[in-house]
Amino acid sequence: MEKFLWAFIVGGLICVIGQLMLDGLKLTPAHTTSTLVVVGAILGGLGLYDPLVKFAGAGATIPICSFGNSLVKGALKEFDSTGLIGVLTGIFQITSAGISAAIIFGFLGALVFKPKG
């Protein structure tokens, strides 16, 4: 039960940070999302995101900053095994399922719902 509570608190805090960026800094949603991905990538590169995932579980893996962490994790893993070209291939290897799902479900949503504007 305690694990669920921490997941809720950490995930909620990440969302609050994003909302404060939108409201307080007057950033666009795209800028906010990009910033959170970059922050997740930096934390992942420094080895600070994985302990957060171990502590908060889904509260740290579901928000968008986890995507940045996954990009860096894949790049570093492939860099160790295949060298510099692995930086490019590793990014897509570890995140390809999520990227593909976003494209497919976005397309299906566009077929079902009438777009605005």
Side-chain angles (χ1 to χ4, degrees):
M1 187 65 164
E2 184 178 325
K3 187 91 169 164
F4 294 120
L5 179 64
W6 283 116
F8 178 77
I9 290 170
V10 170
L13 285 174
I14 293 171
C15 293
V16 165
I17 291 168
Q19 192 65 48
L20 289 173
M21 291 169 64
L22 282 169
D23 296 341
L25 300 176
K26 304 294 184 203
L27 295 176
T28 65
H31 286 105
T32 302
T33 302
S34 298
T35 301
L36 289 173
V37 169
V38 169
V39 167
I42 292 169
L43 291 175
L46 295 174
L48 300 174
Y49 205 83
D50 284 337
L52 183 63
V53 169
K54 288 180 183 172
F55 175 72
T61 58
I62 300 300
I64 192 69
C65 48
S66 178
F67 182 69
N69 177 50
S70 296
L71 290 172
V72 169
K73 190 184 296 187
L76 291 176
K77 180 180 174 188
E78 286 300 307
F79 177 75
D80 288 340
S81 63
T82 61
L84 193 56
I85 194 71
V87 171
L88 298 174
T89 60
I91 288 172
F92 297 113
Q93 187 175 23
I94 201 164
T95 60
S96 61
I99 293 169
S100 298
I103 292 169
I104 291 168
F105 289 121
F107 176 75
L108 293 174
L111 290 177
V112 174
F113 299 102
K114 182 178 179 181
K116 295 180 182 179

